[in-house]
Amino acid sequence: MDRQSLKEQRKHGKYDFPFHIISHTDSLGTYNVSYHWHDEIEIIYLEYGEIDIRCSEKEYHLTSGDFYIINSNELHQISGRSPSLHHAVIFHPHFLDFSLFDRAEEVYIHPITSGSAQFAAGVCQDQDCLHLLRQLVGTSPKKYLSIKILLYALIDQFYQKNQIIMKEPSNAQDDLKKVLSYIQENFNKPLTLNQIAQQIMITPNYLCRYFKKKMGMTVFQYMKQYRINKSIDLLLQSDLSIINIAMQCGFDNLSYYIRTFKELTGLTPKQYRRQHTQQEIS
């Protein structure tokens, strides 16, 4: 079990232009992306609504007009609190590289691409940065030069406002990634605290304290959330019956599955499937 199993496999942008903007409208306030990481830097700009981002063992609450920067290789989770619209600006650090290694590359770009510098944690509301970010989100994906100019201008603003800092090397999240990987790979099976604790050679009691400190929730709360998220995928992407979906996602009791689903989404599985199917038709 290693961190690779939590890595997002989706490629963003093209091989000759690794830059991508994903805009997502969450009409129900149930948006949820489980813990994962990727090589790219990701800037989340929330146009309206409320979302939570959990990153580097801390939780950040975003409201309309906020943005948050997720560093390359940083473990993170995103969940909705209300109906919202957010834009994810995603680019590989080497997208910033110059072909000529000049002074600007050495002082400002290389620290980011080499991993020796990172974006500071925290919700941002800086108006200069927001102005550039809104322009970037509104730029046609084929205006390659405009995109790079705006992105460099944004990086320049981050430096001016001390939003880029030197990174301290740390392996503090390795054990957490092993635990999350094990849960995600075995979510459809019965899991015990003892089995999970064995993955990082600690006692079940210590696992409970360790996981709650790092994640802000218990092991079983995380497992419930992850299983429900996987069941949502099956509800929307298959014709399987609700009882079969429950069984495939680690719930051996249909009533408990329905109760847990409603607790986390505000709807029963049947209501959720019908509501989303109607939205797609309309």
Side-chain angles (χ1 to χ4, degrees):
M1 203 71 55
D2 59 33
R3 69 192 300 270
Q4 285 300 120
S5 58
L6 288 175
K7 184 176 182 180
E8 184 179 60
Q9 300 304 315
R10 178 179 181 180
K11 298 296 181 184
H12 299 284
K14 302 176 182 178
Y15 78 95
D16 58 350
F17 202 77
F19 176 91
H20 192 200
I21 295 178
I22 301 172
S23 298
H24 183 86
T25 301
D26 174 18
S27 58
L28 298 177
T30 56
Y31 181 75
N32 192 285
V33 177
S34 297
Y35 278 94
H36 67 287
W37 63 274
H38 39 68
D39 296 327
E40 295 89 354
I41 294 165
E42 181 174 2
I43 305 174
I44 301 292
Y45 164 50
L46 183 62
E47 190 165 327
Y48 68 78
E50 296 181 66
I51 62 172
D52 290 326
I53 297 177
R54 190 165 183 87
C55 196
S56 298
E57 304 165 16
K58 294 182 180 179
E59 187 166 291
Y60 302 91
H61 179 59
L62 278 68
T63 57
S64 302
D66 291 343
F67 68 95
Y68 185 92
I69 308 168
I70 300 165
N71 288 288
S72 172
N73 300 323
E74 202 162 32
L75 192 65
H76 59 281
Q77 178 190 38
I78 306 171
S79 56
R81 277 200 180 192
S82 73
S84 63
L85 168 61
H86 78 265
H87 310 278
V89 178
I90 307 169
F91 59 94
H92 197 282
H94 287 295
F95 180 64
L96 301 171
D97 278 334
F98 301 163
S99 59
L100 173 66
F101 193 84
D102 59 13
R103 186 66 174 156
E105 170 90 6
E106 178 186 359
V107 176
Y108 300 106
I109 303 302
H110 184 65
I112 297 173
T113 58
S114 67
S116 60
Q118 66 179 11
F119 296 93
V123 177
C124 302
Q125 299 173 320
D126 182 86
Q127 292 304 305
D128 293 327
C129 294
L130 273 171
H131 176 69
L132 291 167
L133 194 51
R134 290 187 184 111
Q135 283 186 276
L136 189 58
V137 167
T139 300
S140 166
K142 292 187 177 181
K143 290 190 174 181
Y144 306 121
L145 184 58
S146 297
I147 288 171
K148 294 212 81 166
I149 289 171
L150 286 167
L151 194 55
Y152 282 130
L154 197 53
I155 297 295
D156 180 51
Q157 283 295 317
F158 291 148
Y159 269 111
Q160 289 187 44
K161 298 173 188 300
N162 299 315
Q163 287 297 307
I164 297 178
I165 57 177
M166 296 308 294
K167 183 179 178 181
E168 294 182 11
S170 172
N171 295 320
Q173 291 195 359
D174 285 354
D175 283 346
L176 180 60
K177 288 175 181 176
K178 288 180 182 177
V179 168
L180 294 178
S181 294
Y182 184 77
I183 293 172
Q184 292 183 11
E185 290 180 5
N186 297 278
F187 74 94
N188 56 342
K189 306 171 186 174
L191 289 176
T192 66
L193 283 175
N194 191 53
Q195 288 174 316
I196 299 168
Q198 285 177 357
Q199 304 309 306
I200 53 174
M201 306 300 290
I202 59 175
T203 66
N205 285 340
Y206 184 79
L207 170 67
C208 292
R209 296 194 300 271
Y210 169 83
F211 196 93
K212 182 70 181 289
K213 178 182 177 182
K214 297 289 186 183
M215 299 288 290
M217 65 179 77
T218 68
V219 176
F220 289 112
Q221 285 172 335
Y222 176 79
M223 286 194 329
K224 281 200 304 184
Q225 184 182 82
Y226 189 79
R227 284 168 168 164
I228 292 298
N229 288 343
K230 298 302 286 188
S231 78
I232 286 174
D233 290 341
L234 291 176
L235 281 170
L236 302 183
Q237 298 171 17
S238 78
D239 295 324
L240 289 172
S241 67
I242 289 173
I243 190 169
N244 282 337
I245 289 173
M247 299 296 287
Q248 288 192 26
C249 292
F251 293 94
D252 57 6
N253 182 293
L254 180 59
S255 296
Y256 177 63
Y257 167 63
I258 294 172
R259 187 167 66 250
T260 303
F261 193 100
K262 189 169 184 179
E263 173 190 324
L264 295 180
T265 69
L267 301 169
T268 67
K270 185 177 180 179
Q271 290 170 335
Y272 192 95
R273 175 181 261 174
R274 183 169 58 242
Q275 192 160 339
H276 279 264
T277 301
Q278 289 173 347
Q279 284 180 354
E280 289 180 5
I281 293 173
S282 61

